[in-house]
Amino acid sequence: MMEKMSEENTEEVTVLEAQIELLQAEVLALRRQQKDDLKDITFDFRGQMQDAMSCMCGQRRGDEKETVLSRLKEVVEELEEDLKLQTQRNGISLNSCTTKTLQSSGRKLVQQLCISGHCSELVFQVEFQLSEVKEGSGCERTISDLNVVMDASDLQNFSSFLSGVEESRDLLLFFSTLRTFSDRCDDRRRTFQHFQEKYPSVVSLPGGCRSEVMILNHPELSGCVLFVHWSVDVSREGGVSPKMELLTKIPERALQLFPSQPVGGAAEAFQSLLRILGPEAAMESVIMAVSLSQDT
C-alpha cells in the first residue's frame, strides 16, 4: 500500500513539475513580448513623446521624470485636440487600435494591427499586417493580409467593393469611399425622415429611416401603394452612385390616378421628375399627388 501511494505521489509531482515548466516558459515569452512592445513604442515616437516613453520605461530618473511627464501631458492634450479636428474633418472616429509585433530585427519590423471605429452609424474593423523595411536612410512600408469586417446584412451594395479593397490592400480608398457612402446614406435617412414627419398620413418607413424603401399610400386609397426605392451603389473601384426608382402597386379601380399613361408610365414619369427637379422635389411631387388624391 505504501509503495502504491509513493508511486502516485511521484507521478503527481512529475505532472506538477511539467506544469510549472510550462508556466515559466509562458512567463518568459510574455516578458519578451513586453520588452519588444516597449521598444516598438519608443521607436514609433519622436521628440518629447520619445523622451516621455523612455521615462515611463525606467530609462530616466530623478527630477527629470517630472519635467518629462509634464511635457507628455501637454503633447497628449495636443494630440487629443488634433484627433478631434481630424474626426470632424474626415467624419471617421476611431474607437481602438491594437498592435502586436510579429517580427523585429535591426532591418525589418512586422506588426499586426487591428483598428476599429465608425463613420456615422457604419461600424467597421480593419485588420492588417504592416511591414517596415529600412532602405538606407529611408523606410519602405507595405500592407498585407488586409481584412475588413462590417455588417454585411445592411451593406449588400458594399460587399463587392470590400472584396476589391482586400485584394488591392488600399486602405486610403476604403476610408475615402466609406465616408462618401456614409454621407449618401445619411442624405437618404434625412430625406426619408423629413417626409415621414411632414406627411405622416401618407409616408411610412417599415424598415426605419435608414432603410432603402419609403412607402406612399393613403387610407382612402385602399390597395394603391407606391414604393420609393433609394439604393446607394458602390462599384468595385470605389465609385458611389445613388439610384432611385418608383415602384407601383395599383388595383384596376385606381388606375384613373394616372389617366394619360399606362401603369408602367408612373416609374418613367418619376425618372423624368428626378432629372428635372432632383431627388427631394421629385419625391415631394409624388407625395403631394397621393395626398391630394383624397380630394378627387
Side-chain angles (χ1 to χ4, degrees):
M1 178 66 71
M2 294 297 294
E3 293 180 357
K4 184 177 180 180
M5 292 181 60
S6 178
E7 291 177 359
E8 292 177 352
N9 291 336
T10 301
E11 292 177 358
E12 185 177 355
V13 169
T14 303
V15 171
L16 291 174
E17 289 178 346
Q19 291 178 348
I20 291 173
E21 290 179 359
L22 290 174
L23 289 174
Q24 289 175 337
E26 184 177 353
V27 169
L28 182 60
L30 290 173
R31 286 177 176 173
R32 289 175 178 172
Q33 180 65 48
Q34 182 185 36
K35 185 177 179 181
D36 291 339
D37 291 343
L38 292 175
K39 287 182 178 179
D40 296 339
I41 292 172
T42 55
F43 174 79
D44 290 337
F45 291 112
R46 296 292 184 270
Q48 293 182 353
M49 285 295 289
Q50 188 178 45
D51 292 340
M53 294 312 301
S54 297
C55 172
M56 297 296 292
C57 295
Q59 298 178 9
R60 295 174 182 266
R61 296 187 177 88
D63 297 337
E64 187 178 1
K65 281 188 177 183
E66 185 174 346
T67 301
V68 171
L69 291 177
S70 176
R71 292 177 181 175
L72 174 61
K73 182 179 179 181
E74 295 177 1
V75 172
V76 169
E77 290 175 351
E78 292 175 0
L79 290 174
E80 288 177 343
E81 182 64 24
D82 183 61
L83 179 60
K84 181 179 178 181
L85 294 175
Q86 290 292 333
T87 300
Q88 293 174 349
R89 185 177 297 114
N90 58 38
I92 296 176
S93 299
L94 299 182
N95 300 329
S96 66
C97 178
T98 60
T99 304
K100 181 180 179 181
T101 300
L102 303 179
Q103 178 183 344
S104 180
S105 63
R107 183 173 176 272
K108 185 175 182 179
L109 175 65
V110 180
Q111 296 176 314
Q112 180 77 33
L113 284 85
C114 180
I115 301 172
S116 64
H118 62 90
C119 183
S120 186
E121 296 189 18
L122 300 177
V123 180
F124 64 86
Q125 179 175 297
V126 180
E127 298 178 353
F128 60 94
Q129 285 188 17
L130 177 63
S131 301
E132 298 185 1
V133 180
K134 292 182 180 179
E135 297 288 348
S137 59
C139 182
E140 181 180 355
R141 293 183 174 89
T142 57
I143 292 175
S144 61
D145 297 335
L146 176 62
N147 181 39
V148 182
V149 179
M150 299 185 71
D151 188 356
S153 62
D154 295 332
L155 299 169
Q156 293 89 344
N157 299 330
F158 211 63
S159 57
S160 177
F161 166 72
L162 291 181
S163 298
V165 164
E166 290 176 343
E167 292 176 6
S168 64
R169 303 183 297 279
D170 194 337
L171 275 177
L172 180 59
L173 178 63
F174 167 71
F175 284 116
S176 61
T177 303
L178 177 66
R179 170 63 188 276
T180 305
F181 177 78
S182 176
D183 286 347
R184 300 293 80 77
C185 290
D186 286 342
D187 291 342
R188 178 182 62 196
R189 174 188 57 78
R190 285 191 295 267
T191 303
F192 279 3
Q193 188 172 5
H194 165 72
F195 285 134
Q196 185 187 39
E197 294 173 353
K198 188 174 182 180
Y199 304 98
S201 63
V202 176
V203 176
S204 60
L205 303 170
C209 58
R210 296 197 67 85
S211 68
E212 295 183 347
V213 179
M214 181 174 70
I215 298 179
L216 311 177
N217 61 4
H218 196 279
E220 298 182 8
L221 300 175
S222 178
C224 181
V225 183
L226 302 181
F227 301 88
V228 177
H229 184 262
W230 185 344
S231 61
V232 181
D233 297 334
V234 183
S235 69
R236 194 174 177 86
E237 294 74 26
V240 179
S241 55
K243 180 180 179 182
M244 298 181 64
E245 297 177 293
L246 180 67
L247 308 176
T248 60
K249 180 183 177 183
I250 305 177
E252 290 294 331
R253 63 182 181 277
L255 289 178
Q256 61 266 26
L257 292 177
F258 300 95
S260 62
Q261 297 192 41
V263 66
E268 297 175 0
F270 181 68
Q271 293 301 319
S272 297
L273 289 174
L274 283 174
R275 290 190 293 269
I276 297 172
L277 303 177
E280 292 191 10
M283 292 171 62
E284 187 152 24
S285 296
V286 176
I287 296 172
M288 289 295 295
V290 176
S291 300
L292 296 175
S293 62
Q294 62 179 317
D295 300 326
T296 61

